[in-house]
């Protein structure tokens, strides 16, 4: 039997991690890279190069891939995924799923009409730590759950916001983009917390409150807090920033009446703390592309991040998209640092194929170039409180939210 053919669309930036993932599968005899698609022709293309997806889809039938990996700007996700699915190709689509909840519904409709597979690139969903945490909660290890929070205190430099025309944009013309801390760099924190709490569809959330701020001169938010409440009563709190003094590993925290579980999802690390026990364990992870290939091969497995299971995250994205534009953090509460920020807790990323790197801002999702970055005063502490108390920065009285 011939190996499934995989094409990657968008091979610069984060697309490089997908090329590495395909190369690993090639080495294991599980797939082969058949084409790469990008407006910029690579100097040394690892497979046949096409300037656009349309060029690939109009090529000879033998050139068509079995699976298409889409690592393209947010506002292109729906049209490109739709074109591939309607051509009979299964899709691995980078997160966030689409640029709006309406687009998500349209994409789900295309999947159901075509019968094709569409996996979304929340690679944390492949972590074996997630079902382990869910099992701990179900067994009552921490008693009754009182809240689920996510803390993300990362650093993004000025170069990050100039890396592409859509970076840091909420919209481009009449198209939603929604590229901010909640919906892109730390989208994994949001999606993983919702997964742990059992929220899969938009209908699983009763409401979402947003509190969006920015220290950078951009349209989108770079420092935000949110509160969401599930239709089952589960409370979620999110404290997220790209303007920390140092980059720390992002965490999901499950608080209960008898203890708490902390999931360091970047490293698949689970810490259980109760009055009886303190335990820590690191888990393995299954790659989403490998999972997609196994599902399409008829193994009986299910997609780890089916597009239909990202509706709850899209409900949060929609709340961000429709919220008022982020308010600027007053200069009195921001220090601009010129140089690479330190990293706490070891190298970052989100597991295999993530954006981790060496000890510093560059290589932690930051491109080469202008390494200046803003630091919001005490933002890490405020993010921690927002996650643990399920209250927004404004409700907590963070100083930059107060009238001056």
């Amino acid at each position: 039997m011939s190996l499934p053919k995989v094409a990657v669309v968008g091979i610069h930036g984060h697309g490089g991690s997908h090329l590495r993932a395909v190369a690993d599968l090639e080495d294991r005899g599980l797939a082969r890279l058949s084409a790469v698609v990008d407006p910029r022709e690579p100097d040394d293309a690892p497979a046949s190069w096409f300037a656009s997806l349309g060029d690939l889809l109009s090529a000879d039938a033998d050139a068509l891939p079995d699976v298409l990996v889409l690592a393209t700007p947010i506002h292109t996700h729906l049209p490109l995924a739709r074109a591939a699915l309607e051509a009979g190709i299964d899709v691995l689509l980078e997160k966030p799923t689409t640029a709006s909840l309406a687009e998500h519904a349209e994409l789900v409709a295309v999947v159901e009409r075509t019968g094709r597979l569409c996996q979304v690139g929340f690679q944390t969903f492949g972590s074996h730590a997630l079902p382990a945490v869910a099992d701990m909660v179900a067994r009552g290890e921490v008693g009754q759950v009182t809240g689920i929070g996510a803390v993300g205190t990362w650093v993004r430099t000025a170069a990050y916001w100039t890396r592409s025309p859509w970076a840091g944009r909420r919209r481009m013309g009449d198209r939603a983009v929604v590229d901010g801390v909640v919906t892109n760099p730390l989208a994994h924190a949001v999606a993983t917390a919702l997964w742990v709490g059992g929220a899969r569809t938009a209908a699983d959330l009763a409401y979402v409150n947003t509190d969006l701020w920015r220290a950078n001169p951009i349209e989108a938010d770079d420092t935000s807090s949110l509160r969401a409440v599930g239709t089952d009563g589960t409370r979620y709190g999110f404290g997220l920033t790209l303007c920390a003094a140092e980059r720390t590993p992002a965490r999901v925290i499950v608080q209960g009446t008898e203890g708490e579980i902390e999931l360091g999802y970047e490293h698949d690390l689970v810490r259980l703390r109760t009055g009886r026990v303190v335990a820590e364990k690191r888990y393995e992870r299954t790659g989403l592309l490998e999972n997609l290939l196994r599902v399409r091969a008829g193994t009986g497995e299910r997609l780890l991040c089916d597009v239909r299971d990202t509706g709850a995250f899209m409900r949060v994205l929609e709340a961000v998209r429709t919220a008022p534009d982020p308010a600027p953090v007053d200069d009195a509460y921001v220090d601009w640092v010129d140089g690479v920020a330190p990293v706490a807790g070891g190298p970052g990323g989100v597991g295999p194929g993530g954006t981790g790197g060496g000890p510093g801002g560059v290589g932690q999702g930051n491109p080469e170039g202008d390494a200046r970055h803003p630091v919001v005063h005490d933002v890490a502490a405020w993010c921690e409180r927002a996650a643990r108390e399920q209250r927004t920065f404004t409700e907590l009285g963070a100083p930059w939210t107060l009238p001056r």
Side-chain angles (χ1 to χ4, degrees):
M1 180 181 296
S2 61
L3 294 178
K5 296 179 291 183
V6 179
V8 178
V9 182
I11 61 173
H12 299 97
H14 186 56
S17 67
H18 290 291
L19 290 177
R20 292 189 291 274
V22 178
D24 176 67
L25 293 173
E26 281 190 313
D27 291 342
R28 296 163 56 194
L30 299 176
R32 70 179 180 87
L33 181 68
S34 63
V36 294
V37 180
D38 199 282
R40 289 184 288 160
E41 183 175 6
D43 294 333
D44 187 16
S48 299
W49 167 73
F50 296 86
S52 71
L53 179 58
D55 291 338
L56 173 60
L57 296 181
S58 61
D60 294 339
D62 290 343
L64 292 180
D66 301 299
V67 174
L68 193 73
V69 178
L70 284 171
T72 60
I74 301 166
H75 56 291
T76 69
H77 286 188
L78 173 62
L80 295 181
R82 178 173 52 207
L85 294 164
E86 290 179 342
I89 301 169
D90 295 321
V91 171
L92 171 58
L93 175 64
E94 254 307 328
K95 57 80 187 162
T97 315
T98 58
S100 71
L101 191 56
E103 287 190 351
H104 177 261
E106 186 175 346
L107 180 56
V108 168
V110 173
V111 168
E112 294 179 344
R113 173 167 52 81
T114 61
R116 304 313 306 179
L117 301 172
C118 184
Q119 179 111 283
V120 180
F122 285 112
Q123 60 260 45
T124 55
F125 284 28
S127 175
H128 303 177
L130 267 65
V133 170
D135 185 57
M136 291 178 191
V137 172
R139 293 199 313 265
E141 294 279 359
V142 293
Q144 183 177 354
V145 173
T146 57
I148 298 175
V151 182
T153 54
W154 284 8
V155 174
R156 287 293 185 265
T157 62
Y160 175 83
W161 301 112
T162 59
R163 74 192 189 282
S164 67
W166 58 272
R169 300 290 297 273
R170 283 171 64 80
R171 60 191 70 84
M172 293 182 70
D174 61 351
R175 294 296 305 275
V177 176
V178 205
D179 178 42
V181 61
V182 176
T183 56
N184 197 1
L186 281 160
H188 289 92
V190 177
T192 305
L194 294 171
W195 191 102
V196 168
R200 302 288 188 274
T201 70
D204 290 332
L205 293 182
Y207 63 87
V208 180
N209 298 134
T210 63
D211 192 21
L212 312 179
W213 297 83
R214 60 172 179 82
N216 285 277
I218 57 175
E219 287 182 359
D221 56 312
D222 56 36
T223 299
S224 293
S225 56
L226 302 92
R227 174 180 49 246
V229 176
T231 51
D232 63 356
T234 302
R235 293 174 57 86
Y236 301 89
F238 304 97
L240 311 170
T241 187
L242 302 176
C243 303
E246 61 180 6
R247 186 198 192 284
T248 63
R251 297 167 288 132
V252 170
I253 304 166
V254 182
Q255 296 174 281
T257 54
E258 298 180 20
E260 73 175 34
I261 303 167
E262 184 178 272
L263 167 61
Y265 67 78
E266 297 182 66
H267 306 293
D268 308 304
L269 185 65
V270 176
R271 298 182 180 92
L272 171 66
R273 302 185 187 93
T274 72
R276 304 181 307 277
V277 64
V278 176
E280 180 176 290
K281 183 176 180 179
R282 191 182 300 273
Y283 290 81
E284 298 297 321
R285 181 181 292 201
T286 298
L288 295 183
L289 180 56
E290 180 176 355
N291 168 246
L292 172 58
L293 293 172
R294 289 176 61 83
V295 172
R296 70 185 309 275
T299 61
E301 299 176 35
R302 68 180 302 274
L303 292 178
L304 291 169
C305 191
D306 191 297
V307 64
R308 285 163 283 218
D309 292 335
T310 64
F313 170 80
M314 289 303 304
R315 175 78 167 77
V316 173
L317 181 146
E318 185 72 3
V320 172
R321 184 184 75 84
T322 58
D325 286 347
V329 178
D330 191 281
D331 290 345
Y333 303 106
V334 179
D335 294 325
W336 278 85
V337 179
D338 189 4
V340 173
V343 177
V350 284
T355 57
V362 174
Q364 295 290 332
N366 289 309
E368 298 288 344
D370 189 346
R372 293 177 304 116
H373 55 95
V375 176
V376 176
H377 295 181
D378 300 319
V379 71
W382 290 108
C383 286
E384 188 82 18
R385 287 191 62 185
R388 288 184 173 276
E389 299 179 35
Q390 298 95 52
R391 299 167 66 195
T392 67
F393 295 144
T394 298
E395 291 171 336
L396 291 168
W400 66 84
T401 71
L402 303 176
R404 296 195 72 207

